[in-house]
Amino acid sequence: MRLLVFGHTGQVASALAERGAARGHTVETLGRDRADLTDPASCADRVRAAEADVILNAAAYTNVDGAESDEETALTVNAHAPGAMATAAAARGLPFLHISTDYVFDGAEGRPWREDDPTGPISAYGRTKLAGETAVMEAGGPAAILRTAWVFSATGANFVKTMLRVGRETPSLKVVDDQRGGPTSADDIADALLAIAEASRNGRFVPGIFHFAGAPAVTWADFAEAIFADAGLRQTPTVTRITTAEFPRPAPRPQNSVLDCSKIAETYGIAQPDWRAALARTLESLA
């Protein structure tokens, strides 16, 4: 199968290239030099010209705080560009797979979020990602959107790598303990997307929005302590648990980012992954 992936050096795009090739697929990734997401028309041109069976968008404006002061650019990258890609894919009858986020919810619900729960983003980033979901689905083609959360890997910038860097530099640090979610390995996200892509080739493709995130649910402080426990640092830092209010950021974060992942399991047979196993593999790779 031939896969065209928007994204090249990002966490999920890198995982798609590696794991897609391992599954026998031809994977072409498009970095910023070949696909400028601030120019949606050029992204559509890439789809129209591609010799591909499936189009995947693993690129996004992910600077959550930066989006607060540059929502226009974030909207172009996160909504207008994927909408253009999806429209071009629909015209060719090609399946289009897109990654979204827990930030489309306000985080106020006390249980895991389901796909049909009302959205209500509280940040510019969340608003632009929700607009992207709408644009993709309104394109009218066979499309699947994967909402995920708290992505980590051995590639790119993420919480795991930040904790390892800070943990080597300081004996103690403060980590937020009132935001809850499911850390998710980029490798596991790539595997889920590849499984959906493969389903499109054997008549089992089901369009729609699906949740996919790691289990069990934890707070950022819990996750930090797990990282330090497994990392084998010379000295394990002490984690002081704080509230979100004690660590103000330009963009508000959802307090509850836990996603109900039963739909993707029922539809595609894709089980919710255990982030602890993925964390061990990531730390081993980084070591």
Side-chain angles (χ1 to χ4, degrees):
M1 187 165 55
R2 298 165 299 179
L3 309 176
L4 179 70
V5 177
F6 284 85
H8 181 65
T9 60
Q11 296 186 82
V12 177
S14 297
L16 280 168
E18 179 181 350
R19 301 177 87 79
R23 293 166 83 127
H25 305 308
T26 299
V27 183
E28 180 183 5
T29 59
L30 301 176
R32 295 179 184 177
D33 58 329
R34 300 182 61 206
D36 181 1
L37 271 69
T38 64
D39 182 2
S42 69
C43 295
D45 288 341
R46 283 291 182 186
V47 174
R48 283 189 283 266
E51 295 182 359
D53 301 304
V54 180
I55 312 297
L56 302 96
N57 180 34
Y61 185 112
T62 57
N63 183 347
V64 175
D65 290 325
E68 291 296 306
S69 58
D70 193 12
E71 188 166 354
E72 183 178 353
T73 300
L75 184 65
T76 299
V77 173
N78 289 342
H80 300 330
M85 298 172 200
T87 299
R92 296 185 57 189
L94 297 178
F96 182 75
L97 310 187
H98 177 69
I99 301 172
S100 192
T101 173
D102 58 291
Y103 277 70
V104 300
F105 297 112
D106 62 13
E109 184 61 66
R111 57 163 174 76
W113 295 95
R114 296 190 294 264
E115 287 84 352
D116 58 358
D117 282 329
T119 53
I122 57 177
S123 67
Y125 170 71
R127 290 191 294 271
T128 64
K129 290 297 289 183
L130 180 59
E133 292 186 4
T134 301
V136 167
M137 299 311 292
E138 287 183 347
I145 294 172
L146 199 70
R147 287 181 184 150
T148 190
W150 296 24
V151 183
F152 69 91
S153 71
T155 302
N158 57 69
F159 185 78
V160 171
K161 295 177 73 174
T162 296
M163 287 300 100
L164 291 176
R165 175 179 55 79
V166 176
R168 293 187 181 101
E169 298 171 351
T170 179
S172 64
L173 68 163
K174 299 177 180 179
V175 185
V176 170
D177 192 43
D178 59 355
Q179 295 173 25
R180 192 169 181 82
T184 317
S185 162
D187 285 347
D188 289 333
I189 295 171
D191 286 342
L193 289 169
L194 289 166
I196 295 172
E198 289 162 358
S200 73
R201 303 298 293 168
N202 57 28
R204 295 189 301 106
F205 182 79
V206 179
I209 297 174
F210 301 90
H211 288 175
F212 183 78
V218 289
T219 68
W220 288 114
D222 295 332
F223 192 27
E225 289 188 337
I227 293 166
F228 296 142
D230 288 355
L233 300 180
R234 182 172 300 177
Q235 180 177 349
T236 301
T238 300
V239 173
T240 299
R241 295 168 181 261
I242 61 172
T243 66
T244 299
E246 294 175 275
F247 187 57
R249 304 286 291 276
R253 267 64 171 172
Q255 187 170 16
N256 174 27
S257 292
V258 182
L259 301 178
D260 183 326
C261 300
S262 57
K263 180 181 175 182
I264 196 169
E266 294 166 359
T267 305
Y268 283 108
I270 298 173
Q272 186 173 16
D274 188 325
W275 60 263
R276 295 168 295 189
L279 175 62
R281 294 192 297 270
T282 298
L283 292 174
E284 183 178 356
S285 177
L286 289 169

